[in-house]
Every structure is written in structure tokens, then in C-alpha cells.
Amino acid sequence: SAKRGIAGTLLVHKAAGAAAEAGKSLSEVRAVAQKVIDTSASMGVSFSSVTRLKKDTVARGKMELGLGIHGEAGARVEPTAPVKEIVDTLLGEILKCDRVTGASELCVLVNNLGSVPPLEMSIVVKELMASEHAGKVKLLVGPAPMCTSLDMNGISLSLVALDSDLSALLTAPTAAPAWPGAAPAQAAPAVLPGPQLDTVTDTPSDDPAVAKALEAVCKALAAAEKELNTLDGKVGDADCGSTMATAAKRVSETQGSMPLSDPAATLAALSRLTGKSMGGSSGVLLSIMFGAMGEELKAG
């Protein structure tokens, strides 16, 4: 039940700063700050503590709710949950607070506590705007690392009840470089089904010379997996050998269903196979190469 100030303080600073910039008196600025304090609430969740001399981390497979930005222990520890459940839990707990209960319009600040990747922060926003409370969210701040706890792997949500005056203060321009701005919130976009791709069915055929060549290439790539990974590790992400070995294994598994007696059709099959199962940029490039070679043969 203990309360502590976390990222919601940024909403206080922004509103008070905008009021001061607009020429309000000290008492008026103080009143703005107090208004935000009285109508805002925050809660965070983390999957790790911060890196410091004393090793103190959240256990694997657990998450801590209600933590402090200085590494203070949270209110409770729960099993790690999907992002949707985490966002729903945070919103549910925050909206129990009498400071925001009953608010018809909200500004939500989505804060990165330190080391959550941008892509994952975007998923948090997606789940926020798909939640049952999305209709109340009128302004969105972030996602961004605004009130961090060194390298903590976690997030916090801060909600403040909006009215026209506060909305104007939060959206007022500022030169503060770390403020990402308060933007009108938009509902989560609908996910449309992708186009149905034509299914290509090859007529299997045999050509011993082609089969022997493919088998030799596949065996060579499989044998060179470790060496290629080592070489790639010098300049890249050390997965070239694994990528090639994956393609080689897939070709070996499907060779019996390939139209080996038709060179153009065989190259087209290799193009589809590498594009779908190989992965990495190599898969895309080889898919393009085999496809182009097949088209050239077909054209004569």
C-alpha cells in the first residue's frame, strides 16, 4: 500500500513548466503542479533490478510490480506474463487509485525504465490502445526512456486525468530535449489478413547428375557450418554457417519431390525454398538469384 513517486513526476514538471512559460504567477504555477499531483497515479513492472555492486535481481520467470526507480522492492512478485496481461494489470491497479478513478479522459505516459528495446515498447503501446480502457486515452506520451532506473528491464505507466487546461499545458511546445511530446492517442490499427499466395506444386522428376550435385553441395555446406560461423563472427553475427546448413538440410529433405529433370523448374523450387526456410539476408538474396536464373532459362 506504500506510495512512491515515479515517472508521473514528469507530468508535474511539464505542466508546471508550461504554466511558468505562459507567464503564470508562482502561486498559479504551484496550483497547476498540485492539480497534476492530485489527479495522477503510476505503477511500474520490472523483470530485473539494476546493475550495481550488490547483485540483486528478479528471479528468472518472475516480474516485480510496484517497484521504485531507485531499485526499491516492489509491492509483489508474480510469474512473468504476456504483454497484454501486464498492461491490463498495471491499468487495473492504477485505476483503483482515487486520484484517477472516474476520469473520463486520460493522458498516459509510457516510460521505459532503462533497457527495454524500442520494438517491445511499441508492443506495450499497442496493447494499451487495444485495452478496454483505450477509449479514455486521449493523449499519449512516449514510449521513451524518460524516468529511468539505470539499466532496469521494465516499464511504467503514468495516468493523469485530463481537462482542457491540462491538455493545453501538456501539449505546449518545449525545448526540453528528452520530452517526446504529448500526442493525440490513436486506436490500435486493425490487423488485416495478408494476401493468399498461390500454391505451387512441382511434378517430381529425376536427373542423377543434378541430384548428385545437389547432394554434394548440401553435404559441403553442412560440414562447413562451424567454419562459416567462425568466419562470419569476425565481421558479422556468426550465423552464416547455421543459415547455410539450414538451407542444405531443407534441400536434402525435399530433393525427392523436386523436378530435377527440368532445370528452370528446379531453380524456381530452390528460389521458393531458400526464400521461405533459409532466413537471414542470405535466404532473400539466394531466392532472388535462383528465381532470376530460372526465369532466364525458361526464356531461353
Side-chain angles (χ1 to χ4, degrees), residues 255-297:
Q255 184 174 316
S257 61
M258 287 186 177
L260 298 183
S261 64
D262 184 338
T266 298
L267 288 167
L270 288 173
S271 174
R272 294 191 298 272
L273 186 149
T274 52
K276 291 180 179 179
S277 63
M278 188 173 179
S281 56
S282 299
V284 175
L285 293 173
L286 287 177
S287 177
I288 294 171
M289 182 190 76
F290 286 130
M293 292 169 64
E295 288 299 319
E296 284 295 316
L297 283 179

Side-chain angles (χ1 to χ4, degrees), residues 18 44 76 111 115 134 164 171 253:
R76 64 181 187 267
N111 178 54
S115 64
S164 58
T171 56
E253 292 172 344

